[in-house]
Amino acid sequence: IFLNHHFSEQDFASRIWTHLESHKILMVMCSIPCICWMVADTLLYIMQSGTQESLPRTCTELYAHFCSMKAEVGEPRGREPVKMEQLHGTNRKLLANLGRMAFYGLLKHKYTFNEQDLKAYGIDLLLTQSSFGAGVLIRVESGIHTTYRLTHLTVQEFLAATFYHVSSKRAIFDLFSESTMTWPKIGFQNHFRSALQHSQQAEDGHLDVFVRFLTGLLSPTALKPLSGLLTLGKDDGNQKVWAVGFLQGLLASAGAVVSLRSVNLAYCLQELQHTEQLRSIEEDLRDGSLA
């Protein structure tokens, strides 16, 4: 019903519905009205772009395209190359700073930010009104003060994952502490292990979606839409292969009884298009073997 009302052209609505039916995780996300709007607009944008981009199949791919769309929508076409590069540079800096604020906000269960918070993380308040800034950040005016929040908690979790993904490849200290007075932690794999460990130790599961996105960003397909927004080095795919083995090892060590932690590990693997474990867990859940 939403798709038919949202789009004037029934062909687009039909194609989007067909795609959602083929990808269960995206269909489930659409049960949340705000995310349904994000999914529909992002898929429509890709369809109308005239490129040969394949439609996103995972949550990470979808949010990557969403951020890319927000960075491009409203920006004049045909700009001079120098000015376009300046625009990309501005968006890269804004994404990096928003991602850092999103990550440390997530750790503190903080989802609303004031102007002082934005300034502390190097975010230019004027840029919050840019196409990208206004696309991911909502400004809330009150009679006393102005606050900001990301358009949805999952957007905060995704931006946090982009920050961690980029930072973990060069950070020499534990990223889960804003202080540099921590034990050295060098290399992406050590930081990835740390993220999974913190996620599994969090009783309320508030880092579960964050680590799903973090895992999904190891997919070249998910990173491609972000090529103009993230500072990315060369990746030969070894980290993705390693992560799959690492996650499968964690699942194997969990034993035969399915737990909520095992479910999230399976969802992490699904973000890398490894769905066998999730299907197995769904069968176990139908048999009532959830711990």
Side-chain angles (χ1 to χ4, degrees), residues 64-257:
H65 278 287
F66 172 75
C67 287
S68 176
M69 174 185 72
K70 289 303 178 183
E72 294 178 10
V73 170
E75 303 298 351
R77 299 287 181 180
R79 283 196 176 191
E80 297 177 13
V82 174
K83 292 184 178 180
M84 284 302 296
E85 181 54 37
Q86 290 175 347
L87 176 64
H88 291 323
T90 299
N91 283 335
R92 278 195 295 269
K93 182 178 180 181
L94 180 58
L95 176 59
N97 291 335
L98 281 173
R100 184 165 175 261
M101 184 179 75
F103 176 67
Y104 289 111
L106 193 62
L107 297 187
K108 301 170 186 174
H109 295 77
K110 183 173 182 176
Y111 312 111
T112 301
F113 308 92
N114 56 37
E115 292 185 351
Q116 287 69 35
D117 293 325
L118 269 64
K119 291 177 181 178
Y121 284 99
I123 299 170
D124 187 337
L125 295 180
L126 290 176
L127 293 181
T128 63
Q129 301 305 308
S130 68
S131 176
F132 178 61
V136 299
L137 200 62
I138 295 176
R139 177 174 174 165
V140 182
E141 297 279 3
S142 70
I144 303 175
H145 55 265
T146 302
T147 58
Y148 298 83
R149 61 180 174 82
L150 280 305
T151 51
H152 191 266
L153 175 57
T154 52
V155 174
Q156 180 169 346
E157 291 163 324
F158 178 77
L159 295 184
T162 63
F163 162 76
Y164 197 91
H165 174 83
V166 173
S167 300
S168 63
K169 296 185 177 182
R170 62 173 184 268
I172 60 174
F173 292 102
D174 187 0
L175 289 167
F176 277 82
S177 172
E178 285 192 270
S179 169
T180 57
M181 301 300 291
T182 62
W183 287 103
K185 190 180 293 291
I186 301 173
F188 171 80
Q189 294 181 8
N190 284 325
H191 287 291
F192 188 85
R193 286 193 190 96
S194 177
L196 263 294
Q197 183 180 28
H198 279 84
S199 171
Q200 298 213 307
Q201 290 175 347
E203 294 183 359
D204 58 0
H206 78 288
L207 296 176
D208 286 357
V209 177
F210 159 74
V211 294
R212 291 185 203 175
F213 283 136
L214 182 62
T215 304
L217 287 172
L218 293 174
S219 167
T221 307
L223 281 178
K224 185 178 179 182
L226 299 172
S227 58
L229 290 171
L230 294 181
T231 304
L232 302 170
K234 290 185 178 180
D235 189 348
D236 58 7
N238 287 339
Q239 300 293 11
K240 176 183 175 181
V241 174
W242 171 83
V244 169
F246 175 67
L247 291 167
Q248 289 175 334
L250 290 178
L251 271 174
S253 65
V257 179

